[in-house]
Amino acid sequence: MSKLRADSHDHGPWPEGYARVLLNTVDSTMAEAVRRAPNIDRPTWIMAKTQTAARGRRGRKWVVPEGNLNATLIFRPEATAVEASKRSFLAANALFQALAIYVPAEKLSLKWPNDVLLSGGKVAGILLESSGRGPFVDWLSIGIGVNLRHIPEGVTDASFTPTSLAAGGGEDVSPKDFLSTLADAYATQEAKLLRLGFGRIRDDWMSNAARLGEVITARTGREDVTGIFDSIDRDGNLVLITGTGPRAIAAADVFF
């Protein structure tokens, strides 16, 4: 169960056509998004002050001290599951642009598939979930966690040491204000996708990619693949140049 908080819409410009729900406490904004999915009539951002059961990729625990951002965008894209999954790159681009308002952009980089790094530490993560039985998804939710003011404690299974915007020398910003900045940046990404296609989204993402052209390792769960980070293909797969040729990897944890 969640507790609804009045939404005053006084924390910066809000993109037209998007709704916003502000909560005090919820198990997770991703779970709340699923509960609200049948009734949404427009893309809706759900933000919670605190979460009691937050999680990241592959069921990992996501620690969310109060003062950090916990939010999920849920909407109904006209997209197949594969096309919907590409929204992780839109979210990453939007996060990069939003964070660059508060910290020098040269300190930021994007780690495939869905993390934002600040001076080499993980400052933000993205989690996508969708549902649908036909050719198109019924709904897509994009969960975003950003360490604004606090570095989570007790994180032992992270590929990269967590950091925070504050610890990285960034300006202090409240979760509500940051959400307004992020929502506006994400709406711009959706408009860019509509006008210019995923190729432009991909190019923008790669312009800020961490370790592009360098040797990295992708751990798929079945094997470790090491090679030169060459590109992201049109489906969003990681492309590594290995000793046996190019390898396209759809899902993995990346280490460098």
Side-chain angles (χ1 to χ4, degrees):
M1 296 297 291
S2 59
K3 300 176 182 178
L4 185 61
R5 192 171 189 169
D7 184 357
S8 60
H9 288 258
D10 59 354
H11 295 272
W14 190 254
E16 183 177 356
Y18 286 71
R20 173 168 52 179
V21 176
L22 303 181
L23 307 170
N24 278 326
T25 303
V26 72
D27 48 357
S28 79
T29 57
M30 293 295 278
E32 182 69 12
V34 172
R35 290 190 287 267
R36 291 175 180 263
N39 300 314
I40 61 168
D41 61 359
R42 70 190 71 182
T44 300
W45 283 96
I46 301 168
M47 190 192 87
K49 186 176 179 181
T50 60
Q51 296 184 108
T52 59
R55 56 189 168 78
R57 288 183 67 236
R58 302 186 180 182
R60 296 186 180 103
K61 184 179 180 181
W62 181 265
V63 181
V64 281
E66 188 172 330
N68 291 349
L69 178 76
N70 320 294
T72 295
L73 172 65
I74 183 163
F75 61 114
R76 304 180 189 281
E78 292 185 4
T80 64
V82 171
E83 291 296 319
S85 70
K86 296 178 183 179
R87 255 66 178 200
S88 64
F89 295 95
L90 278 72
N93 287 345
L95 268 171
F96 187 99
Q97 295 300 323
L99 285 163
I101 299 294
Y102 307 102
V103 71
E106 57 266 24
K107 291 186 175 184
L108 299 167
S109 59
L110 301 176
K111 184 176 80 71
W112 185 91
N114 52 14
D115 292 337
V116 183
L117 303 182
L118 171 57
S119 299
K122 181 174 176 177
V123 70
I126 301 163
L127 176 66
L128 266 65
E129 292 182 350
S130 63
S131 177
R133 297 191 182 96
F136 297 112
V137 299
D138 292 333
W139 53 261
L140 172 70
S141 56
I142 304 174
I144 294 176
V146 185
N147 300 330
L148 295 174
R149 292 175 172 163
H150 308 289
I151 300 174
E153 297 180 355
V155 178
T156 59
D157 61 349
S159 304
F160 287 74
T161 303
T163 188
S164 69
L165 181 63
E171 297 178 23
D172 182 62
V173 57
S174 72
K176 287 181 182 178
D177 287 343
F178 188 83
L179 179 64
S180 293
T181 304
L182 175 61
D184 188 60
Y186 185 83
T188 298
Q189 289 293 312
E190 282 286 346
K192 187 177 290 188
L193 177 67
L194 180 62
R195 294 195 311 269
L196 304 174
F198 180 70
R200 176 60 183 271
I201 301 298
R202 169 188 171 275
D203 290 347
D204 288 349
W205 188 94
M206 287 185 58
S207 70
N208 297 308
R211 303 298 178 96
L212 186 66
E214 298 183 23
V215 175
I216 65 174
T217 296
R219 184 167 296 165
T220 68
R222 298 188 307 273
E223 61 177 334
D224 288 359
V225 182
T226 297
I228 297 172
F229 178 12
D230 179 67
S231 66
I232 300 297
D233 69 17
R234 64 183 183 181
D235 292 322
N237 298 319
L238 175 70
V239 179
L240 298 183
I241 304 301
T242 72
T244 58
R247 286 280 304 273
I249 299 169
D253 287 325
V254 166
F255 299 85
F256 32 83

